[in-house]
Amino acid sequence: MIETVASIELPADETLRIRKNRIEPKRLTGNEKRISIVTGIHGDELEGQYVCFELARRIGLQQEKLTGIVDIYPALNPLGIDSITRGIPAFDLDMNRLFPGHQDGNMTEFLASQIVRDLSGSVVALDIHASNIYLTEIPQIRVNKLHEQELLELASETGVDFIWVHGASTVLESTLAYSLNSTGTPALVVEMGVGMRITRSYGDQLVDGIFHLMKKLGLWTGDTGAVREPIISRDPDDVVYLNSATGGIFIPAVGHWECLHQGELIGQIINPLTGTVLDEVTAPVDGILFTIREYPVVDEGSLIGRLLRKEACGKRWEER
């Protein structure tokens, strides 16, 4: 059932509508738990579009196995998605810096307040993001230390590869996830893939994990496949950042999510005009490459990738 979460009149006789698809069990008791799947806050992050489609499609094939309510919000920033714009067009605003919003505020504040109101009360909300156009990320959930106790067990059931627990100092209080978590609705921030693209394998992995989580929470009685056990990192020193020493074109030599040994070549920065190699990017430590540069043009200091130290990987190092 398609429902309108919020709407507001625009110039030229147009209406902005934020909509959701509510999927309910065939027999309602009135006591159903509700899970919410949210994406499209940033208009250039499209990985969640496939997740929404595939989740709704699979539920439709076995709706008799559904024992809870699934709310799917594919486009919280529909104008951004339509115009391939990260923020809200014309306002030049990042929607994920507007929450919790205000009922009596301007257009953007009103929309943010209506979204928070509608999501509140979910047993869990998954806020799905992609990386930007410059980097590719493995499927991961980012949790802030302020809400680690409430979120870590939920995050561990989603089948992502990596759970990154951030320090409280990195938390942005104006995000959707922070607003929901601070008012008692558990919210998990998923990051995966790359901007302006859909990585189907990552989407399938997350959908499998969502079904697994739904079964754990009592919203699904159907079969679910085994999900992988994530690496959990709490120590900021677990993550090593790789930055470009010079400008040029980055040519990767390894794939994403590979185990690397110290000194192993990750890629070269080249000068296409002179045919010379300007720099070789090598692994400074043993670790797994969980972020890698997607967009080839780099400047001095550009992020090339991130390594998770071998010591933090546990048995996943041996498995790979």
Side-chain angles (χ1 to χ4, degrees), residues 6-58:
S7 66
I8 198 163
E9 296 302 315
L10 297 174
D13 294 325
E14 294 181 325
T15 303
L16 186 156
R17 292 184 179 88
I18 297 174
R19 300 188 297 173
K20 72 177 180 182
N21 181 7
R22 168 159 287 189
I23 309 175
E24 299 177 333
K26 292 188 175 181
R27 295 183 180 179
L28 289 169
T29 66
N31 297 313
E32 283 78 15
K33 297 177 182 178
R34 172 167 58 104
I35 187 172
S36 296
I37 311 301
V38 178
T39 193
I41 287 180
H42 295 135
D44 60 350
E45 298 178 3
L46 304 177
E47 299 281 7
Q49 301 301 304
Y50 175 73
V51 174
C52 291
F53 158 77
E54 184 64 7
L55 182 62
R57 185 190 72 82
R58 291 194 203 177

Side-chain angles (χ1 to χ4, degrees), residues 8-318:
I8 198 163
E9 296 302 315
L10 297 174
D13 294 325
E14 294 181 325
T15 303
L16 186 156
R17 292 184 179 88
I18 297 174
R19 300 188 297 173
K20 72 177 180 182
N21 181 7
R22 168 159 287 189
I23 309 175
E24 299 177 333
K26 292 188 175 181
R27 295 183 180 179
L28 289 169
T29 66
N31 297 313
E32 283 78 15
K33 297 177 182 178
R34 172 167 58 104
I35 187 172
S36 296
I37 311 301
V38 178
T39 193
I41 287 180
H42 295 135
D44 60 350
E45 298 178 3
L46 304 177
E47 299 281 7
Q49 301 301 304
Y50 175 73
V51 174
C52 291
F53 158 77
E54 184 64 7
L55 182 62
R57 185 190 72 82
R58 291 194 203 177
I59 291 173
L61 295 176
Q62 301 184 75
Q63 195 163 345
E64 70 280 0
K65 305 292 179 62
L66 185 65
T67 53
I69 295 171
V70 180
D71 279 345
I72 298 175
Y73 304 72
L76 290 193
N77 178 10
L79 294 179
I81 290 177
D82 288 347
S83 60
I84 324 176
T85 305
R86 179 176 178 81
I88 301 174
F91 292 88
D92 195 26
L93 291 173
D94 184 338
M95 191 176 197
N96 211 26
R97 301 295 181 268
L98 299 174
F99 295 100
H102 196 282
Q103 174 74 25
D104 299 319
N106 60 31
M107 183 192 97
T108 57
E109 293 171 327
F110 169 76
L111 293 174
S113 71
Q114 295 304 292
I115 291 167
V116 171
R117 177 190 59 80
D118 204 71
L119 286 166
S120 294
S122 304
V123 66
V124 63
L126 273 74
D127 179 16
I128 303 171
H129 292 260
S131 185
N132 53 37
I133 64 169
Y134 300 102
L135 302 165
T136 299
E137 302 277 5
I138 61 166
Q140 61 194 264
I141 286 178
R142 298 181 181 179
V143 173
N144 73 66
K145 283 187 178 294
L146 293 174
H147 303 109
E148 178 183 354
Q149 185 175 351
E150 303 94 329
L151 300 181
L152 196 56
E153 184 176 353
L154 292 168
S156 298
E157 301 292 346
T158 59
V160 296
D161 293 295
F162 181 38
I163 299 173
W164 194 354
V165 182
H166 279 270
S169 62
T170 65
V171 175
L172 292 171
E173 297 184 4
S174 54
T175 63
L176 175 61
Y178 182 89
S179 296
L180 291 173
N181 281 315
S182 62
T183 54
T185 298
L188 302 173
V189 177
V190 180
E191 296 271 358
M192 65 181 191
V194 64
M196 297 190 186
R197 299 289 185 273
I198 288 176
T199 311
R200 187 166 181 169
S201 61
Y202 290 168
D204 287 333
Q205 177 182 339
L206 184 59
V207 172
D208 289 343
I210 292 172
F211 276 107
H212 181 79
L213 177 61
M214 287 169 56
K215 190 162 187 176
K216 287 285 185 180
L217 295 173
L219 284 78
W220 182 256
T221 62
D223 294 333
T224 60
V227 295
R228 61 198 73 190
E229 182 180 345
I231 297 170
I232 300 173
S233 170
R234 297 179 177 87
D235 187 343
D237 292 335
D238 287 344
V239 176
V240 179
Y241 293 80
L242 309 171
N243 296 96
S244 174
T246 184
I249 303 295
F250 174 67
I251 307 296
V254 295
H256 201 211
W257 202 220
E258 286 193 19
C259 286
L260 300 174
H261 294 281
Q262 185 175 2
E264 190 169 346
L265 181 67
I266 293 173
Q268 296 177 321
I269 299 174
I270 64 166
N271 184 330
L273 178 63
T274 62
T276 55
V277 175
L278 302 176
D279 189 39
E280 292 194 336
V281 182
T282 60
V285 297
D286 292 352
I288 298 180
L289 187 69
F290 73 92
T291 303
I292 192 168
R293 186 82 179 184
E294 180 77 15
Y295 189 74
V297 179
V298 296
D299 296 317
E300 182 179 349
S302 294
L303 185 62
I304 297 292
R306 299 187 188 96
L307 273 173
L308 185 64
R309 292 178 185 271
K310 176 182 177 181
E311 295 79 7
C313 298
K315 65 180 182 181
R316 287 295 290 272
W317 175 270
E318 286 75 22

